[in-house]
Amino acid sequence: MSSIEELQLLNHALANKDWDIVDKNGLKEEHFPIYEDTFKFIKEFKKTNSQLPTLETVLNKFEEFEPVELEKVDVVVDALKEDWLYRQFKPILKRSAELVGEKRTVDAIQEIKLQSTQLLKSVDSQSKGYSYIGMAEERKKKYLSIHGRNKANILGFTTGFAPLDLATNGLISGGEETDYFLVFAPSNMGKTLITSFMSMSAWNSTLEWDYPAYFALEQRAEEIARNWDNVLAGISNLAIQRGTMTDEQRDKYIDFLERLKQKQKDMVIYDVQNNGGRPFTVAEIQRILESEGHNRFVLDQLSKVRLNNNSFGRNDLRQRLFDVSAEVREMILGTGIPGYVVAQANRESAKRVKKSLEDSEVQGEDIGETYAIFQDSSKGISIIKINQNTFKIQVIKNRGNASGQNFLVRYNFDTGLVNVLNGELGEQYF
């Protein structure tokens, strides 16, 4: 413990009326484990009185506090930061050692990598806010890098639907603009079908490297893959399942699979069956994304994800979904990896939709258990199944841009063809 350094820095701040030395270095209560109460008192006193207390006031308040001299401020600050980092990293090493002792060496390595990466990010981000003036040059460079582009050209991964791309700019990745893209609908409305199509479309439409992950917490991996085959090979989904293709269709499908094996890039589906029958935690999802090098993902669906503290059976579903959604958002912001997150609408919206399919809307207020999911997202769409192969997609959230646009999609399960039936959205600005 760095008790002498804690005393030295607090004495320095009080003697010089300089609390900036604490704030600008991102020092908080956890950096002062021995004199935490003293730290809190000084901080609260400054907040209440707009000035620091005198050294005498603090000495009278806390018997264990004593005056000490400080030689080099930077050395003391570094010592406090190092002590904090040591206390954060030691449990990680201990946990990893336990995993090695259990003959789970790969898990131990992944645990160290994941937790160390997060810890390094937290160290790097301490007290580094966004300077409005200081970052003006970066904003200028960023705009000039995209100036003059065609309005139809999006910056993110395509969704496979031109009107949705135009409205949302696609699935954005990169720093502060990384998307938590909500896909939202009542039961049996085509959430998985539409989301798997959007993920596959971006992978198939570019020659550049792309390595998405699909976390299927309801359907089996083969079902998702079959959806992709249906569209990419142009073969009946039902015929693939039942073995009822004509000889010509069979040859077409076999030829497609042979050509598919030659591709240099891949998509990976992680389902519950391959996870030992257990739903994933957010920590496990993040570990897979980072260790495997995936650059975007689909999470289907949010209600099936376990909390990192293993409280999957928590009775308060509302609180669990609130916590899981917050963890997913934190993961997206922390890793910079964007994703489509599938969530369930409530029963009331399902009843309303059944009464009037074409005129009904599903909005953020219809979120299944907690409105926080809608708040956490950066963009979002709702889906209503009009008939067996027609879906209405509506933009329900579009941070920093217009929302409310809707269009119809026709999905032919026999041929795999997907068409937008009405794509006029009007003028959009990004």
Side-chain angles (χ1 to χ4, degrees):
M1 292 291 185
S2 55
S3 59
I4 184 62
E5 285 85 1
E6 293 179 37
L7 273 175
Q8 287 177 325
L9 194 67
L10 292 176
N11 269 270
H12 173 82
L14 293 172
N16 294 277
K17 302 296 181 183
D18 179 21
W19 196 248
D20 284 346
I21 191 65
V22 173
D23 289 339
K24 74 180 183 181
N25 285 290
L27 301 178
K28 298 179 175 62
E29 287 89 344
E30 57 262 31
H31 291 90
F32 296 82
I34 306 299
Y35 294 95
E36 182 178 354
D37 290 340
T38 307
F39 179 93
K40 289 180 177 178
F41 170 78
I42 297 172
K43 185 177 180 179
E44 187 61 30
F45 188 98
K46 182 179 183 297
K47 181 180 179 181
T48 304
N49 301 282
S50 299
Q51 63 180 8
L52 292 176
T54 64
L55 179 59
E56 291 72 19
T57 298
V58 177
L59 289 171
N60 291 331
K61 178 75 175 177
F62 300 95
E63 293 184 3
E64 72 278 9
F65 193 78
E66 56 183 303
V68 294
E69 293 184 0
L70 177 148
E71 293 184 2
K72 293 184 177 181
V73 176
D74 292 343
V75 173
V76 172
V77 169
D78 288 344
L80 291 174
K81 289 182 176 180
E82 173 58 32
D83 181 70
W84 174 84
L85 191 58
Y86 167 81
R87 286 184 280 112
Q88 302 302 308
F89 192 52
K90 186 176 179 180
I92 298 174
L93 291 177
K94 182 178 179 181
R95 172 59 180 157
S96 298
E98 291 172 350
L99 291 172
V100 171
E102 298 170 5
K103 303 296 183 180
R104 297 168 58 190
T105 306
V106 172
D107 288 342
I109 294 172
Q110 290 181 335
E111 183 74 14
I112 289 180
K113 179 180 178 181
L114 173 64
Q115 299 298 334
S116 298
T117 299
Q118 290 298 100
L119 193 55
L120 285 172
K121 288 178 180 177
S122 69
V123 170
D124 185 59
S125 64
Q126 282 188 5
S127 72
K128 292 183 179 179
Y130 184 94
S131 169
Y132 176 64
I133 295 175
M135 295 299 290
E137 180 65 21
E138 292 301 314
R139 294 197 299 276
K140 183 186 75 173
K141 290 179 180 178
K142 183 175 181 180
Y143 174 74
L144 291 177
S145 69
I146 62 175
H147 178 72
R149 71 186 181 98
N150 190 300
K151 291 181 180 180
N153 293 337
I154 63 172
L155 296 178
F157 296 98
T158 180
T159 64
F161 302 118
L164 186 56
D165 284 346
L166 181 61
T168 64
N169 212 10
L171 181 72
I172 298 289
S173 66
E176 72 281 1
E177 296 183 68
T178 305
D179 275 341
Y180 177 141
F181 201 122
L182 180 66
V183 181
F184 179 58
S187 296
N188 198 33
M189 286 288 165
K191 297 186 296 294
T192 295
L193 184 70
I194 296 297
T195 309
S196 64
F197 172 79
M198 291 194 295
S199 178
M200 174 271 297
S201 294
W203 179 82
N204 189 53
S205 65
T206 177
L207 297 176
E208 299 175 0
W209 179 86
D210 187 22
Y211 191 38
Y214 196 108
F215 293 90
L217 276 67
E218 288 192 320
Q219 297 189 11
R220 293 181 298 110
E222 186 179 351
E223 294 179 84
I224 303 299
R226 198 163 54 229
N227 289 338
W228 295 343
D229 284 350
N230 175 218
V231 175
L232 295 176
I235 298 297
S236 168
N237 199 317
L238 188 61
I240 295 176
Q241 297 180 56
R242 297 187 177 182
T244 56
M245 298 183 196
T246 64
D247 289 345
E248 183 181 354
Q249 290 172 332
R250 178 204 60 193
D251 292 342
K252 180 181 178 182
Y253 186 41
I254 296 301
D255 178 66
F256 163 77
L257 293 176
E258 290 298 323
R259 287 185 287 108
L260 184 66
K261 291 190 296 183
Q262 306 305 314
K263 279 187 173 288
Q264 298 300 309
K265 59 181 181 179
D266 197 4
M267 297 185 284
V268 180
I269 305 165
Y270 302 93
D271 64 6
V272 173
Q273 183 177 1
N274 291 326
N275 196 40
R278 299 178 299 105
F280 292 90
T281 65
V282 178
E284 288 170 337
I285 291 172
Q286 180 171 342
R287 185 179 303 139
I288 290 171
L289 291 175
E290 295 192 319
S291 63
E292 298 300 320
H294 295 294
N295 59 324
R296 57 190 177 88
F297 70 96
V298 170
L299 176 53
D300 183 12
Q301 70 174 331
L302 190 69
S303 63
K304 303 296 183 181
V305 179
R306 291 185 299 137
L307 284 169
N308 290 334
N309 60 10
N310 294 321
S311 56
F312 180 73
R314 177 184 285 178
N315 292 329
D316 189 349
L317 178 60
R318 179 184 180 87
Q319 183 62 45
R320 181 168 67 82
L321 285 176
F322 179 95
D323 293 339
V324 168
S325 181
E327 288 180 359
V328 170
R329 181 176 183 272
E330 181 181 344
M331 177 189 75
I332 289 173
L333 293 177
T335 62
I337 302 173
Y340 294 109
V341 179
V342 178
Q344 187 81 19
N346 58 29
R347 293 180 180 178
E348 287 72 20
S349 66
K351 294 177 183 177
R352 189 174 68 244
V353 167
K354 287 181 180 179
K355 289 181 180 179
S356 178
L357 289 173
E358 294 187 13
D359 297 330
S360 293
E361 293 183 351
V362 177
Q363 294 291 341
E365 290 77 6
D366 296 314
I367 202 76
E369 298 293 337
T370 170
Y371 193 65
I373 299 171
F374 183 71
Q375 292 174 311
D376 288 338
S377 64
S378 52
K379 299 170 184 173
I381 60 171
S382 64
I383 302 170
I384 295 177
K385 189 176 182 180
I386 303 298
N387 56 42
Q388 189 60 33
N389 62 353
T390 306
F391 304 84
K392 182 170 80 170
I393 296 178
Q394 179 166 356
V395 180
I396 59 172
K397 185 169 185 182
N398 200 7
R399 185 171 291 161
N401 215 324
S403 61
Q405 310 93 329
N406 66 81
F407 57 97
L408 298 177
V409 172
R410 179 68 48 79
Y411 200 125
N412 190 319
F413 292 89
D414 289 331
T415 65
L417 292 176
V418 180
N419 297 311
V420 174
L421 300 185
N422 60 330
E424 294 300 323
L425 285 178
E427 194 74 16
Q428 293 294 304
Y429 300 94
F430 301 109

